[in-house]
Amino acid sequence: MSLLSLPMNQDLRQYANIIEALKPVISKSGFNNRLNELTEHLPKERRFLIKMEMQRLARPCMRSIDLRGQVNGECRLYEYNGIQHYLDDVAIETFEDQLSVFGQFTFGVYEAVMETDNNFKVMREREEQQRETVSQKRNQPQAMALEKYTVPVVNLLSYARRHQERMNFAVSIEVFAQDGSVWRGNSVDISTEGLQIKLGKETSLQVSDQIEIFFRGLEEEFAMDKKQGVVYRILKMVYKNEHQYLMLQRAENVPNVPFDQFLQNFIRGNKRRYKVNMSNTIDAVYNKIAEQFLSPRSPSLPVFIDQVENKLIPRFAMLNEINTDITDYWSDEQRQLRLGYLLSASRLQWLVNRPAAQRELYVYAFTHLQQDKIYFYSASSKELDAKEVIKTAFLGFGARKVSWRVFKLVMSEMSPDQAHAPLSLPDNVSDKIKRLNQEPSARLMARLKNLRHVVHITDVTSDSGQEYYSQYKFNRANLPHLRVFGHARNRPPAAIQTYRYRFHDKRMEKRYLVRTTIALTASDGGTVYKGVSEDISVRGLRVELNQPFNSENGAPVEVAFPKLQSLTDKYDLMHLQYRIVASNGEKNIVHLKAVEGEQGAVARKFFEDLIKKNKSSLKTYQEEEDLPGIGHALRCINAKNTPNLAFTMNKEGARYLPQAAIDARHDERINQIAAHYAPADNLNFEFMFRDRNLESPFIQHGIKQIKLEQLPLRQELFVAFDPDQKLSRMAILPRFDNRFSSHESREKFIHEAIGRGQFIALHVLLTTTGKPDMEMLQAEMNYVSMYAIHRARELEEFMWDIVACAHLVDVTDEVLSRYNIEPALIRKNRRHHHQSIRNNAIRSDSQLLS
């Protein structure tokens, strides 16, 4: 694949003759002169494309070609330089012809052999091209491709909430302004306190004006006061399709009791006939669908920070299905979370002192195991920049360890008020809705009252990045200086309390209520603690003891079930092996996990049989929180402060396509690529699918791999961005990391990208999605079903079609630092970024004015 991710059958096809003429001189000293001669009539961007394509074609290839069943010819074994191929006569002739051109087996040779005239795939593609209408404009294919990948932006858990039901209501009206002007129009929808009307464009009305409305269309049917209208205040005015729409609110200073009574009865009696306006509820359901698929799969770990007397204290962390890798990494050999090492007071203070848009920091880390104890080492990019010699030693030494990690920290301001996410429905719909709309309890808000910031931690480690760092040359005599970055075990950080996302099938296995006597014995064989089991699962157990049990998490224990033992001779239930996972503050409620391997096999097998035989009669146990509602509250805060660009996908035929997106609240750099060829409030992700016609497209192939391995897939994406280009394929030039042949080619891409515009690097995480959590959506789905069953079905189809999601994290600064790009070029890259933002803003303003 070329640097610019452009397959030959598209943008470069028109230059096929030039490319053929350049092939014989690609490895010769006169290549650049010949290139300039053949392309002197072309813009420099096109010359750049052709040069990169030639370099790609000349790269050595080690692939074996097997055309059996793929060509209209008989294939036989053909060997070249120890690589065995199966080729037909046409392919062999092409292979040898291209060898004479390139001088060796290169990707140019490989692709020529794969595209012979008798290749079934080539023949199919030609037939499809012939079926396409030749009357299409040259820019239509691009527009159609862009449209396919353009999706609406969703601001998670931010949607309009109405205080009254709004009914679709179209009658003729007459509007009287305070200066005596009169206009005729129509109502659009109505509530007890609000009204939307449609007028012609020519009015002198302004926001905040008070106007008097006469409902002329009701006067013949109902006893309306024809001399006194209803007074409203203008909240908002929108121009659309040669009309202006006015959103109005009843004027409290001019009451109209008879109209209030009439309107309440009218809406109550006619809302099914005229249909309730549900646009905001439908928007809210779409919003929540996106949130429940994206939030539980986000790679970023949100840590919520208290600010007390200018002191920053990490309090809570929100775990999901993906980010637990971060907490696992920062847990010691006793499974105690030491995340505070990463979020040190000095790093938090450095972040909070930065301008709001620049509160990000990269931290490099590794661990050292000595005498079965884990020692943590970490250093931020700023800490390492202070001394180049130590920086080289830390990066070079650390990257050679399996435990090497790179974390990105992004700080955002937040408010405890964001914990409340009521339904889009008004309280007066039903008592249940009113109950669901209640604000969090005072006790819960007291726990959250000092939260002022959220820091999102993302593991952005890349294999190629680690390989590059590991090649750093350093003096081993400098290694003792790395102790300054070690975290003292005798000064552990303050505990950070973790909560889990509440999502469908969140637990590895269900817990069942089984209350029976137990006896717990510590590993030293000393005191026996009596108690009862609270709940059981195949691998886990929770017990309540008669006295406190002081032991560290991870410690082995032996558990006996005397009453259950009397019911079975098949299993020895008096010596079951468990480890302590957690305990409450009083140390009398203990969570246990069956020991792995043969030691814990009896416990696992017995409870598996017990659950299987009694599943219909066993009751499941609802997961509890130490403070009811705190997990949901933190989830709401996190959704409203999400740091990363992300999108959901569905499957159409054999292709995956984006469906909905959330934008990055923190970094405009990553948004500008997706927003460049998209209308307002939309993003375009065509650049993420640019490799769709290649042998192993990242998303298409990646989702299959995830389904097979049940693990998310990570990859870096390098982007050359030039917003001045008109064609999307010229403006946004993406290349996934696995398409580079060497670190030199990566560095070359970076320099060329900055030279022609801007370089941007993304850390991409791809994952499949879980089942929808209907409990979060049920109230609003029921409401939509009541008045528009077809819309409810559309929402359900949309929800069940979502199968995967992608999260994009900006890692530009880390990549530029990794490859030691000159400070002058980094500054140029940032200047171009800020200029792009200004140009986009000007373009947006122009669109509004037009």
Side-chain angles (χ1 to χ4, degrees), residues 343-354:
L343 298 175
S344 65
S346 59
R347 290 171 188 165
L348 292 176
Q349 195 60 51
W350 185 88
L351 285 168
V352 84
N353 290 339
R354 303 279 291 168

Side-chain angles (χ1 to χ4, degrees), residues 364-544:
Y364 307 88
F366 62 87
T367 61
H368 177 65
L369 189 64
Q370 185 175 353
Q371 296 179 347
D372 294 330
K373 293 182 178 180
I374 298 175
Y375 293 83
F376 294 93
Y377 290 78
S378 72
S380 73
S381 51
K382 295 302 174 185
E383 292 160 359
L384 291 176
D385 286 342
K387 198 164 186 180
E388 190 65 29
V389 175
I390 302 300
K391 176 180 179 179
T392 303
F394 186 96
L395 297 176
F397 175 76
R400 296 177 189 183
K401 299 177 72 68
V402 176
S403 61
W404 172 256
R405 297 290 187 277
V406 182
F407 297 100
K408 181 180 181 181
L409 277 53
V410 175
M411 176 181 278
S412 306
E413 291 186 359
M414 54 137 291
S415 167
D417 294 337
Q418 294 173 327
H420 184 39
L423 301 176
S424 60
L425 307 174
D427 290 349
N428 59 9
V429 170
S430 69
D431 290 339
K432 181 180 179 181
I433 298 300
K434 185 176 182 179
R435 209 164 44 247
L436 292 172
N437 282 336
Q438 285 181 348
E439 294 185 359
S441 68
R443 182 181 169 208
L444 172 56
M445 293 307 293
R447 180 81 68 92
L448 308 178
K449 68 178 181 179
N450 293 322
L451 296 181
R452 292 295 178 270
H453 306 277
V454 55
V455 174
H456 284 91
I457 305 168
T458 312
D459 183 347
V460 294
T461 313
S462 75
D463 291 339
S464 63
Q466 182 173 3
E467 178 188 316
Y468 189 81
Y469 283 128
S470 68
Q471 296 173 9
Y472 276 21
K473 300 286 191 293
F474 61 91
N475 188 338
R476 297 192 70 83
N478 290 322
L479 292 182
H481 296 299
L482 302 187
R483 290 180 189 143
V484 68
F485 300 114
H487 300 287
R489 286 178 57 90
N490 59 356
R491 293 197 302 275
I496 297 175
Q497 197 163 0
T498 59
Y499 296 93
R500 292 192 65 85
Y501 272 81
R502 184 173 178 270
F503 46 78
H504 190 80
D505 284 341
K506 57 189 174 298
R507 297 177 58 83
M508 288 179 60
E509 52 192 18
K510 287 185 178 179
R511 292 187 295 171
Y512 296 89
L513 286 169
V514 173
R515 192 170 177 85
T516 184
T517 57
I518 63 102
L520 184 148
T521 307
S523 57
D524 58 8
T527 309
V528 176
Y529 296 80
K530 301 290 187 180
V532 294
S533 61
E534 288 286 334
D535 55 62
I536 58 99
S537 67
V538 174
R539 293 176 177 81
L541 181 67
R542 187 172 79 152
V543 298
E544 181 179 354

Side-chain angles (χ1 to χ4, degrees), residues 462 464-465 468-469 472 716 718 814-820:
S462 75
S464 63
Y468 189 81
Y469 283 128
Y472 276 21
E716 279 188 343
F718 285 12
E814 197 279 325
V815 171
L816 293 175
S817 173
R818 176 196 311 168
Y819 290 104
N820 297 305

